[in-house]
């Protein structure tokens, strides 16, 4: 059982904040992944916008209430860097640069030979294959200013940020834990949330590309209810044609990214071999059914059959991202 040598107050908590929610999971065990505790809080529009904190006072007050209500004060925290802030880019470095020199080289080249749409990034990288005089790597980057706003907020509220992760890796970690991926699998992961869709394509365990597609969200067109477990449920009360058009736009973006991977990124012109669907969108099952009808390759959802029997039921699918985050550095 994971973390069995620690007392409750020392267990790391896992927080996911996006434009419309705060979610938290505390891991009970790793195999199979089971949540010890979990909870969520809906965020009204305008507090976080496209991943950036736009109303720090309101977010501070709400998060302070959550910490008190969920009894997670003075804990270490893993958190997800919001998808709109993250860029994944393939870059090349000279082959003669030693592994322990690569990060310094990247620092020097950012802004000159390596261009990002923001200054002063925080970044990490993953080495790919050598390519003659160069070595390819994947660069994962986000603007330091906005990432540190989250870290500083947690610190202000007496939480200690210890790990920052990105959602495609967190979800793939859970998928890999629960499934045995096929050999040479090319996985298209699509995270359908209430206000956005995040798409990424994996070769093996490596996310080669990621795209963020925002969804228009009018809170007046959704009816919100909270059940006895604290889970928030949404029911659409607007014109269903609007959702149909929205899905058609998403499907076009999925097809465009699939083609981009096959004809521009894949050296062997390989195609996507599986779609993995997840997220907190209230119509996720309908989206899954429609994609199964439209696409010629398998479309699946992450299945957690042995999920946590906490609060009288299994861990909701909307918490899977937090659960995947909880598996970081414990596998």
């Amino acid at each position: 059982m994971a973390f069995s040598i620690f007392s409750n107050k020392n267990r790391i908590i896992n927080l996911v904040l996006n434009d419309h929610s705060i979610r938290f999971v505390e891991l009970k065990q790793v195999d199979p992944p089971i949540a010890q505790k979990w909870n969520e809080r809906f965020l009204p529009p305008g507090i976080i916008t496209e991943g950036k904190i736009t109303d720090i006072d309101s977010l501070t007050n709400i998060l302070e209430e959550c910490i008190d209500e969920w009894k997670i004060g003075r804990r270490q925290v893993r958190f997800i860097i919001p998808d709109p802030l993250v860029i994944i880019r393939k870059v090349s470095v000279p082959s003669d640069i030693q592994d322990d020199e690569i990060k310094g080289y990247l620092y020097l080249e950012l802004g000159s030979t390596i261009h990002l749409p923001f200054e002063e990034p925080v970044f990490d990288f993953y080495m790919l294959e050598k390519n003659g005089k160069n070595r390819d790597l994947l660069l994962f980057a986000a603007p330091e200013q906005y990432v540190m706003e989250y870290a500083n907020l947690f610190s202000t509220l007496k939480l200690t940020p210890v790990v920052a992760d990105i959602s495609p890796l967190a979800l793939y970690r859970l998928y890999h834990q629960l499934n045995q991926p096929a050999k040479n699998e090319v996985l298209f992961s699509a995270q359908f949330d209430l206000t956005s869709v995040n798409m990424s394509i994996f070769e093996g365990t490596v996310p080669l590309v990621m795209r963020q597609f925002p969804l228009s969200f009018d809170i007046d067109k959704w009816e919100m209810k909270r059940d006895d477990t604290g889970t928030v449920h949404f029911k659409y009360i607007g014109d269903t044609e609007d959702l149909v058009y929205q899905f058609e736009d998403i499907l076009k973006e999925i097809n465009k990214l699939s083609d981009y991977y096959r004809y521009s990124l894949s050296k062997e012109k390989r195609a996507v071999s599986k779609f993995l669907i997840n997220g907190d969108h209230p119509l996720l099952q309908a989206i899954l059914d429609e994609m199964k009808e439209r696409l010629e390759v398998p479309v699946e959802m992450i299945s957690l059959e042995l999920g946590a029997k906490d609060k009288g039921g299994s861990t909701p699918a909307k918490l899977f991202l937090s659960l995947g985050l909880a598996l970081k550095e414990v596998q």
Side-chain angles (χ1 to χ4, degrees), residues 19 48-54 82-85 150 214:
D19 286 12
I48 298 177
T49 305
E50 295 182 354
K52 301 173 185 176
I53 300 173
T54 47
D83 294 331
L85 304 181
Y150 285 96

Side-chain angles (χ1 to χ4, degrees), residues 227-243:
D227 65 21
D228 294 337
T229 71
T231 302
V232 178
H233 300 276
F234 287 88
K235 180 182 178 181
Y236 190 68
I237 56 176
D239 186 347
T240 55
E241 284 297 310
D242 293 341
L243 292 183

Side-chain angles (χ1 to χ4, degrees), residues 251-313:
L251 196 60
K252 289 177 184 176
E253 294 298 319
I254 287 174
N255 288 328
K256 282 166 58 177
L257 188 58
S258 298
D259 289 343
Y260 172 70
Y261 165 76
R262 183 172 188 177
Y263 299 112
S264 298
L265 284 184
S266 175
K267 294 180 179 180
E268 301 165 356
K269 304 301 181 187
R270 295 167 63 192
V272 169
S273 58
K274 181 191 288 187
F275 285 88
L276 185 70
I277 306 303
N278 191 60
D280 67 22
H281 199 285
L283 301 177
L284 190 63
Q285 184 60 52
I287 291 170
L288 175 70
D289 294 341
E290 188 68 21
M291 289 183 67
K292 284 182 175 180
E293 287 285 329
R294 302 273 198 108
L295 302 175
E296 298 179 355
V297 298
V299 183
E300 301 177 3
M301 288 177 63
I302 292 178
S303 175
L304 193 60
E305 295 179 358
L306 298 177
K309 299 303 179 182
D310 186 30
K311 301 185 179 180

